[in-house]
Amino acid sequence: MASNSCSNSFSVPFSCLLILLLSYFCVSEAQDTPPIAEGLSLSFFDTSCPDLESIVRNQLVEEFNQDIGQAAGLLRLHFHDCFVQGCDASVLLDGSASGPGEQDAPPNLSLRAKAFEIIDKIHSQVHAQCGAIVSCADIVALSARDSIYLSGGPDYKVPLGRRDGLTFATTEATLANLPRPSSNASVILDALANKSLDATDTVALTGGHTIGLSHCSSFTDRLYPQDPTMNETFANDLKNTCPENSTVDGTTVQDIRTPDDFDNQYYVNLVNRQGLFTSDQDLFTDSRTRDIVTSFAENQTLFFEKFVFGMLKMGQMDVVTGTNGEIRANCSVRNSDSTLLSSVVDVAEDLKVINF
């Protein structure tokens, strides 16, 4: 019987060693990627809409050339969608007669209007080229990934095949699922543990605060009176931007070192007691997460690796797939509501002709 040429442990040919090394790295890479949720796939649109990802990325390159700040808005939109009732684009739905939508809940009032407009623009381009086969939820997920990459962060493959949800969450559910900037590490860790995200995922995902702006109202509770964990010079600079009892809710960058670059400087800020929110700074103060923060501050490659892992886990939370949900023709309304709205408009136009 012929023997396998790679089976002799005392004399391994170079070609076999190469195969073994490649196998090791392939296995290691697979182990560093969370499992793909049922119904999603890395090749979901390879045949039906092969240009999907290039359409998204090309449009975002154009948008970010005009305003790189929109990258943070699109990333935040994905977070706020997924954490409430899963990554189903429910945050895009307008309110209805049954009550206000998720956009009207206090944590979402600061979501950028431009982010919604960009999603709609990309959605129209994708449907024009491929037909109504790509969900708003998938476009939000891809836009978040490209916002990270085009800001200098890691690139990675996004499992696709999400469908859009048919309902939005109540204000109460939205509040319950989106931790506040004033939350301490225990609240943050417990909230994300309920989403099957561990301490490393939690610290990595908060690294999304390395880009973007924040309103003074999100952190002035740390200035008046001054939080003793906050660097004195940093606090004084913030007080100039956010005066006590001001009637104007100003804004400031979330990362004072490299505000427009997706990098690990957010963690360097925390080590230097220059975190903007309690929910940020307490991750360095708390013994359960301090070492993770420090490791990310020292090793950007490690941060990128763990951030991608956390994003892939988060981006697959409670996804709607298969024959559930729908592919919305308009990201802000359910298809049935769109049909009803069109009928009302048609009737109104008919009456206008008849009566006038």
Side-chain angles (χ1 to χ4, degrees):
M1 180 181 295
S3 63
N4 188 320
S5 61
C6 294
S7 63
N8 187 336
S9 60
F10 297 100
S11 178
V12 181
F14 176 77
S15 59
C16 296
L17 181 60
L18 183 59
I19 291 172
L20 290 171
L21 286 172
L22 289 174
S23 298
Y24 169 77
F25 286 118
C26 287
V27 170
S28 297
E29 184 177 359
Q31 291 174 338
D32 289 338
T33 303
I36 295 177
E38 184 177 355
L40 301 185
S41 168
L42 293 175
S43 58
F44 198 89
F45 293 110
D46 282 2
T47 301
S48 58
C49 190
D51 295 329
L52 169 62
E53 298 200 28
S54 62
I55 294 172
V56 176
R57 184 161 293 187
N58 289 341
Q59 182 59 43
L60 291 184
V61 167
E62 182 178 325
E63 298 289 346
F64 298 162
N65 280 339
Q66 299 177 35
D67 181 8
I68 188 60
Q70 297 305 328
L74 289 165
L75 177 57
R76 190 161 178 255
L77 189 64
H78 186 41
F79 272 74
H80 281 230
D81 181 37
C82 292
F83 271 100
V84 177
Q85 60 178 27
C87 310
D88 64 348
S90 59
V91 73
L92 303 181
L93 287 171
D94 291 336
S96 67
S98 63
E102 291 176 40
Q103 294 173 38
D104 299 312
N108 289 334
L109 293 176
S110 58
L111 291 175
R112 297 190 182 204
K114 183 65 175 179
F116 293 95
E117 294 174 12
I118 292 172
I119 295 298
D120 285 340
K121 188 182 298 185
I122 295 172
H123 177 263
S124 296
Q125 293 177 15
V126 170
H127 281 210
Q129 181 157 332
C130 302
I133 61 172
V134 181
S135 68
C136 302
D138 272 347
I139 291 172
V140 169
L142 286 171
S143 296
R145 187 275 309 278
D146 284 355
S147 294
I148 295 161
Y149 173 68
L150 295 173
S151 299
D155 199 2
Y156 56 95
K157 291 291 293 180
V158 176
L160 300 173
R162 298 166 188 77
R163 289 171 67 85
D164 298 317
L166 300 176
T167 61
F168 50 74
T170 63
T171 295
E172 292 72 24
T174 304
L175 284 166
N177 283 280
L178 291 172
R180 294 166 176 76
S182 58
S183 301
N184 61 28
S186 291
V187 172
I188 298 296
L189 289 170
D190 288 345
L192 271 67
N194 289 333
K195 306 292 185 183
S196 299
L197 297 167
D198 63 24
T200 301
D201 299 326
T202 299
V203 177
L205 288 173
T206 60
H209 288 164
T210 190
I211 55 175
L213 302 173
S214 174
H215 287 269
C216 293
S217 55
S218 295
F219 58 84
T220 46
D221 60 320
R222 300 188 66 209
L223 299 177
Y224 311 105
Q226 186 176 320
D227 185 336
T229 66
M230 184 179 281
N231 174 278
E232 187 75 25
T233 302
F234 179 59
N236 289 334
D237 288 343
L238 289 176
K239 288 175 183 177
N240 290 330
T241 302
C242 308
E244 188 172 16
N245 300 320
S246 174
T247 58
V248 178
D249 192 10
T251 60
T252 188
V253 295
Q254 295 185 144
D255 172 7
I256 61 171
R257 286 177 164 77
T258 53
D260 294 329
D261 297 336
F262 195 96
D263 55 24
N264 69 331
Q265 293 304 297
Y266 158 83
Y267 300 101
V268 175
N269 296 337
L270 300 189
V271 171
N272 286 281
R273 298 189 297 121
Q274 296 166 328
L276 204 55
F277 309 135
T278 299
S279 59
D280 291 333
Q281 191 59 56
D282 209 44
L283 294 175
F284 183 67
T285 305
D286 195 287
S287 61
R288 292 168 293 179
T289 49
R290 183 186 182 100
D291 288 346
I292 304 172
V293 171
T294 302
S295 67
F296 290 166
E298 295 173 345
N299 188 336
Q300 179 167 280
T301 300
L302 177 65
F303 161 51
F304 281 1
E305 175 189 327
K306 299 303 182 182
F307 182 81
V308 168
F309 191 92
M311 283 293 288
L312 290 173
K313 286 177 69 174
M314 184 198 76
Q316 299 181 80
M317 292 193 306
D318 298 320
V319 289
V320 181
T321 61
T323 57
N324 297 317
E326 64 184 10
I327 304 297
R328 286 185 213 143
N330 180 334
C331 288
S332 62
V333 294
R334 298 179 305 171
N335 289 341
S336 56
D337 294 335
S338 296
T339 302
L340 177 61
L341 179 62
S342 296
S343 298
V344 170
V345 171
D346 290 341
V347 170
E349 290 299 321
D350 289 342
L351 290 174
K352 187 185 296 184
V353 171
I354 294 171
N355 293 318
F356 301 98

